Amino acid sequence: MTSLSGRLAPGALADLLQYLALSRASGCLLLRHPQRRHAYVYLENGRVAFVDARPLYDVAALSELLGWQDGRFAFRAGIPAPRRTIDMATDALLLEATRRADEPALSSVDPDAVLTAVNGEPAPPRRP
């Protein structure tokens, strides 16, 4: 498989990752959301090796991506992962990402906290 592209619909990303796993594909899956967001899912021999959806990575990023209801995707074979941070079967990874997506909103990432941690600035006061 050298390339694959199409439109994302609800549930399509999980199906696509399972297809790539069964195909033992290696390369990069680029995801584009209509609101100018993008993400990269790198696979090696059908296993997800790294997920980059800044500011989120790996399981947290995949959990977020599974919630996308719209967008486009393109898979390009032969593009290596910049690093390997995930070592689990794709089906187990999808189960973990889905479980995390179903957790209550209290555990969600606070974007202000992430930005202040990256910039080294004190966190702004929380609004009630």
Side-chain angles (χ1 to χ4, degrees):
M1 168 187 319
T2 56
S3 67
L4 178 69
S5 62
R7 181 168 293 283
L8 285 176
L13 179 57
D15 292 342
L16 180 59
L17 288 174
Q18 288 175 333
Y19 170 76
L20 293 170
L22 289 172
S23 301
R24 298 187 48 85
S26 294
C28 179
L29 178 63
L30 168 63
L31 305 168
R32 293 188 187 272
H33 191 274
Q35 295 175 340
R36 297 184 155 295
R37 296 170 18 210
H38 61 275
Y40 304 91
V41 179
Y42 295 90
L43 294 101
E44 292 180 349
N45 296 315
R47 292 173 65 108
V48 176
F50 179 61
V51 182
D52 179 355
R54 294 179 189 164
L56 301 174
Y57 296 93
D58 297 328
V59 179
L62 186 57
S63 182
E64 173 76 20
L65 296 173
L66 289 172
W68 285 13
Q69 301 294 310
D70 192 18
R72 304 221 24 103
F73 71 86
F75 178 78
R76 299 293 180 254
I79 299 174
R83 57 184 171 255
R84 290 162 194 83
T85 54
I86 300 174
D87 186 23
M88 60 193 318
T90 300
D91 55 349
L93 177 63
L94 286 169
L95 285 172
E96 177 62 17
T98 301
R99 183 191 64 78
R100 287 190 185 192
D102 290 341
E103 288 179 349
L106 294 175
S107 64
S108 66
V109 174
D110 177 9
D112 291 332
V114 171
L115 291 175
T116 57
V118 169
N119 294 331
E121 301 169 1
R126 298 285 311 212
R127 295 180 199 115

